[in-house]
Amino acid sequence: YVIDLRTNQVVATVKDTPGAEGVEYVPELKKFYTSNAGDNTIGVVDMRQMKVIKKLPTERKPDGSAYAAPFHKLYVSDERGKAEAIVDVRKDEIIKTLHFESETGMPQYDPVARKIYLNLQDQNIFAVIDPRTDEVVERYSVGRCKGNHGMAIDAEHHRAFLSCEENNLMAVFDLDKHEPITYLPLADGPDVIKFDPGLGRIYVACFSGFISVFRQDDPDHYRKIEDFKVERAVHSLAVDPETH
């Protein structure tokens, strides 16, 4: 569904995106990409036509995705397939698939380090991919974080925020020291996590029916504000940097 944020009205419905788990927007091409867990494809949607123009077969249960704009590449985690599909958005072709011994959680692109970060959630590992070569260049432990699935990045302060599905923690990961620096409690069933740099807020969608909200006092200090009650089975969320 495409929603006009000024009017809160649905302005278009895009069909043939079965079991859509994730959406990634590529502004310069006026396209977005859906992770279709229902038929194990990546859907390419032309925003001018508001319809799917191509589907790319991939591994099992495509989920989170991240776009590395300088490299014109989209990274899609095939969670159940234990893989990462890499799409050239200029050709709309999968140019490489990385395979792992773990289910793959949310990837994120760091525009400062110019690296892709990937959660290997069965192994509690934080992996680093170089988008120039599409090779895994580093792997780090996430400590007490179990089932690191969701991820958000504070590129300015070199921090990653991880939602730990198996033990309901938010881990703050120092991207310079390559280690977690703190853990905070989440509501049950954490999934997607987002960061608002304007307010220094971190939001985590939790399946039990809460958004866990945290404040970044500075890059090394964080505190929980509340578990805000929402509908049960909340899965994903987004932050508008202009309106917060």
Side-chain angles (χ1 to χ4, degrees):
Y1 294 95
V2 182
I3 299 167
D4 186 327
L5 297 178
R6 295 162 297 187
T7 63
N8 288 333
Q9 298 294 312
V10 175
V11 294
T13 301
V14 180
K15 298 181 179 179
D16 196 21
T17 61
E21 292 273 350
V23 180
E24 200 69 29
Y25 175 47
V26 177
E28 66 268 27
L29 298 177
K30 295 295 188 292
K31 294 189 289 189
F32 65 85
Y33 295 77
T34 62
S35 301
N36 304 325
D39 63 1
N40 297 319
T41 64
I42 299 167
V44 185
V45 180
D46 184 334
M47 291 192 66
R48 298 175 182 88
Q49 304 177 64
M50 286 301 184
K51 71 175 186 180
V52 175
I53 57 172
K54 192 173 184 180
K55 298 181 85 172
L56 310 177
T58 186
E59 306 284 344
R60 291 176 55 212
K61 195 181 180 292
D63 190 37
S65 55
Y67 178 52
F71 303 92
H72 311 288
K73 293 176 181 178
L74 176 75
Y75 294 77
V76 180
S77 290
D78 297 321
E79 185 177 7
R80 299 288 183 263
K82 300 182 178 182
E84 193 74 12
I86 303 167
V87 178
D88 183 330
V89 299
R90 294 167 297 188
K91 301 176 181 177
D92 286 331
E93 296 177 357
I94 295 176
I95 55 174
K96 188 172 185 177
T97 300
L98 299 173
H99 292 90
F100 300 92
E101 295 180 355
S102 166
E103 290 190 349
T104 48
M106 182 70 67
Q108 288 290 301
Y109 175 64
D110 183 339
V112 174
R114 293 169 70 90
K115 295 289 192 295
I116 287 285
Y117 303 134
L118 174 64
N119 278 321
L120 301 180
Q121 60 196 30
D122 294 338
Q123 299 174 316
N124 309 320
I125 292 293
F126 183 90
V128 183
I129 299 170
D130 186 340
R132 292 172 299 179
T133 62
D134 290 324
E135 298 290 343
V136 177
V137 293
E138 301 287 351
R139 298 174 190 243
Y140 302 107
S141 169
V142 294
R144 292 196 290 121
C145 176
K146 304 299 181 185
N148 48 312
H149 179 75
M151 184 194 306
I153 297 291
D154 175 4
E156 179 184 359
H157 298 113
H158 305 177
R159 298 290 183 266
F161 309 112
L162 311 177
S163 60
C164 313
E165 285 189 327
E166 293 181 18
N167 56 351
N168 298 332
L169 292 175
M170 182 188 77
V172 180
F173 191 87
D174 186 320
L175 296 171
D176 295 323
K177 296 179 180 178
H178 315 302
E179 62 184 15
I181 58 173
T182 192
Y183 306 89
L184 295 99
L186 289 168
D188 186 59
D191 195 343
V192 171
I193 180 169
K194 295 293 182 180
F195 175 60
D196 179 357
L199 291 182
R201 298 285 178 88
I202 303 145
Y203 302 92
V204 188
C206 299
F207 190 90
S208 54
F210 295 92
I211 296 175
S212 291
V213 185
F214 303 87
R215 177 170 179 78
Q216 180 189 62
D217 292 324
D218 62 52
D220 292 325
H221 297 92
Y222 301 82
R223 52 193 166 95
K224 189 171 190 176
I225 296 176
E226 66 176 316
D227 290 324
F228 185 83
K229 182 66 178 171
V230 293
E231 292 291 332
R232 181 174 169 79
V234 61
H235 164 73
S236 60
L237 47 77
V239 176
D240 184 332
E242 295 182 6
T243 64
H244 308 287

